[in-house]
């Protein structure tokens, strides 16, 4: 039979273990909570993970979410703004203009690669037919590639007051 001293030590040990594991898993739990239970979870993730700090959109259309249990996968979302806020977004100084054929080819290949990754998920219908990704030589874009190979490409469409966001986790 255990003495009350041993129960106290066991209880304190369990509390310490739970506290330590909570500290190490906080980021994963926060990410999971934001994505599953908040309307703007992906918008928040894009800022934290890829430094895409843009004003909160009026609406986010989540076209495709292929995230796996550990956070890897593909996400295609469209941030919709009003005409005033999209002007603020443009002035952020993070956007690059596609200035050359070479740059256009690089971004086009990344968009096509993303489409292939999404379609490999065996989606019931092609999400790019209903929500095409608009890309032309005057497009403005933001591209962030992380050390682990994951990347985010955002295309700013001033005419439509939208940002097309493609995220590919590795």
């Amino acid at each position: 039979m255990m003495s009350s001293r041993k129960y106290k030590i066991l209880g304190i040990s369990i509390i310490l273990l739970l506290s330590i594991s909570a500290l190490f898993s906080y980021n994963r739990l926060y990410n999971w909570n934001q994505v599953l239970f908040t309307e703007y979870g992906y918008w928040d993730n894009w800022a934290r993970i890829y430094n895409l700090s843009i004003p909160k959109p009026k609406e986010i259309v989540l076209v495709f979410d292929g995230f796996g249990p550990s956070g890897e996968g593909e996400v295609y979302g469209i941030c919709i703004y009003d005409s005033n806020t999209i002007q603020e977004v443009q002035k952020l100084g993070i956007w690059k203009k596609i200035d050359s054929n070479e740059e256009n080819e690089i971004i086009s290949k990344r968009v096509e690669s993303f489409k292939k990754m999404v379609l490999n998920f065996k989606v019931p219908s092609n999400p790019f037919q209903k929500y095409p990704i608009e890309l032309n030589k005057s497009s403005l874009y933001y591209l962030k590639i992380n050390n682990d190979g994951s990347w985010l490409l955002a295309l700013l469409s001033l005419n439509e007051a939208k940002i097309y966001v493609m995220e590919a986790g590795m």
Side-chain angles (χ1 to χ4, degrees):
M1 190 159 188
M2 288 178 86
S3 67
S4 66
R5 179 176 162 84
K6 288 181 182 178
Y7 279 121
K8 284 182 184 178
I9 292 173
L10 179 64
I12 291 171
S13 299
I14 290 172
I15 289 171
L16 282 173
L17 283 172
L18 289 174
S19 298
I20 291 169
S21 63
L23 285 173
F24 286 111
S25 61
Y26 174 77
N27 283 340
R28 177 75 59 205
L29 292 174
Y30 177 81
N31 179 55
W32 179 75
N33 178 64
Q34 287 297 97
V35 170
L36 291 179
F37 299 114
T38 67
E39 184 178 350
Y40 290 94
Y42 287 104
W43 170 77
D44 182 60
N45 275 351
W46 297 330
R48 284 185 314 100
I49 298 169
Y50 298 99
N51 298 324
L52 181 63
S53 297
I54 53 177
K56 194 173 195 175
K58 176 174 70 172
E59 178 186 356
I60 292 180
V61 175
L62 189 57
V63 178
F64 180 81
D65 173 4
F67 264 140
S70 60
E72 74 287 345
E74 285 69 46
V75 173
Y76 174 35
I78 302 171
C79 299
I80 302 170
Y81 290 91
D82 60 39
S83 58
N84 292 333
T85 311
I86 199 70
Q87 298 304 318
E88 290 176 36
V89 170
Q90 180 190 13
K91 294 175 185 175
L92 290 175
I94 61 171
W95 305 102
K96 291 180 72 178
K97 187 173 182 182
I98 297 177
D99 287 331
S100 66
N101 288 337
E102 180 184 343
E103 200 169 17
N104 185 49
E105 188 175 325
I106 289 169
I107 299 302
S108 295
K109 282 183 180 179
R110 194 162 294 268
V111 169
E112 289 308 311
S113 167
F114 180 79
K115 287 179 180 180
K116 286 179 186 173
M117 285 188 281
V118 167
L119 295 174
N120 280 338
F121 276 90
K122 308 289 188 243
V123 289
S125 64
N126 183 341
F128 304 109
Q129 288 177 338
K130 186 173 181 182
Y131 299 100
I133 298 170
E134 301 296 327
L135 178 67
N136 57 52
K137 286 190 177 183
S138 65
S139 292
L140 299 174
Y141 73 94
Y142 173 87
L143 176 62
K144 171 73 175 176
I145 303 169
N146 287 337
N147 293 335
D148 64 0
S150 62
W151 55 270
L152 178 136
L153 173 62
L155 299 172
L156 174 62
S157 173
L158 293 171
N159 296 341
E160 297 178 312
K162 294 179 182 176
I163 299 175
Y164 298 88
V165 182
M166 293 154 274
E167 178 184 2
M170 297 295 155

